[in-house]
Amino acid sequence: MFKMMFFFVSIFLSFSAFAVGEKSTESIGDIEGLLNDQKIWAAHELVAEDSYQSTIKTPLRLGVFDAKRPLPLNLGVTNKEVAGISYCTTYFLDKDFSLKEARSFYEQFAGSKLKLLNVQQVKIMGGGGPVRWCKFTDYKVLASKKEIEQARQNKTAKYNAYQFEGTIKVLVARLHPSRMIMFKLNAGNITQKSLFERCDKTLTIDPPLASHMRGAAYWKKEATVHLKIEGRKCVATSVVFDTK
């Protein structure tokens, strides 16, 4: 009788070990990204807690974390290569956070750029293939939300202050009396990348061309254009086609 009980216990333990699967941990270094705001933390306490428990219950049951209440973070990761290696969409700060502390963390850091230090990927094999979770125990704030917004505003102001005036030669893709779509920049004191990014390959023609200057007769023809750019406003003040 004892031998039979021992046999069934052995089978049960083996089955349990198989169900959990083999666990391995791999270091994937530091990961940088913008902390996405999780509105759930601002919800009613019961709603927030229920959502939190559904997020952590499986990895917690499988022994992924050292903490009992790790904090899940969703990042807009800036290093795509590392993100591709990690297979993780959520990164857990492996320290205990009460609901109040979690709310405070997001109120302080949502929208900030963080560096998650010494991120580890925990992989557990299952019947449907490996399942992965990423955890870390420390972080650095690289830029606050306010600093990021200020830098964005400065960049926008600098972009909008850009001015250019000069003569360029372009290959025309489409031509209308008040609008030109460019195919290629052939010459001029501006790079094709800067021209196309600012003007989206399209120039407003002012004053408009004669109504007969349209259609396929001008496609893929080279035109000499006097161009004025202010920010993203791109205006061709004259368009002359080479006589070839």
Side-chain angles (χ1 to χ4, degrees), residues 108-239:
Q108 184 176 0
F109 297 120
S112 299
K113 185 176 182 180
L114 304 182
K115 176 184 279 190
L116 313 186
L117 304 176
N118 303 315
V119 180
Q120 292 184 318
Q121 178 182 267
V122 180
K123 181 173 69 174
I124 297 178
M125 297 301 297
V131 183
R132 300 171 172 87
W133 289 273
C134 288
K135 64 179 183 177
F136 64 102
T137 56
D138 208 353
Y139 63 92
K140 287 183 179 179
V141 180
L142 300 181
S144 68
K145 180 180 180 180
K146 185 177 180 180
E147 290 171 333
I148 292 171
E149 182 58 32
Q150 185 61 56
R152 185 180 293 115
Q153 290 177 4
N154 293 343
K155 183 178 180 180
T156 300
K158 182 179 179 181
Y159 191 93
N160 290 337
Y162 175 87
Q163 293 187 343
F164 171 86
E165 184 169 1
T167 300
I168 63 173
K169 288 192 174 186
V170 297
L171 204 59
V172 177
R174 294 287 188 276
L175 185 68
H176 307 277
S178 299
R179 184 166 56 95
M180 169 194 295
I181 301 174
M182 299 173 288
F183 179 74
K184 181 182 177 183
L185 173 68
N186 288 344
N189 192 25
I190 188 173
T191 66
Q192 178 168 297
K193 180 179 179 181
S194 179
L195 176 65
F196 284 6
E197 284 181 351
R198 286 186 175 275
C199 304
D200 196 25
K201 296 187 179 181
T202 302
L203 304 180
T204 299
I205 303 175
D206 188 18
L209 300 174
S211 59
H212 69 273
M213 296 182 68
R214 67 175 70 185
Y218 295 95
W219 295 359
K220 295 187 179 180
K221 294 289 183 69
E222 187 178 65
T224 300
V225 177
H226 186 76
L227 173 65
K228 293 180 68 174
I229 299 177
E230 295 180 355
R232 292 186 67 93
K233 185 179 179 182
C234 304
V235 180
T237 58
S238 72
V239 178

Side-chain angles (χ1 to χ4, degrees), residues 4-19:
M4 184 172 291
M5 288 179 63
F6 179 79
F7 173 74
F8 282 116
V9 169
S10 298
I11 290 178
F12 174 77
L13 292 175
S14 298
F15 176 79
S16 298
F18 176 78

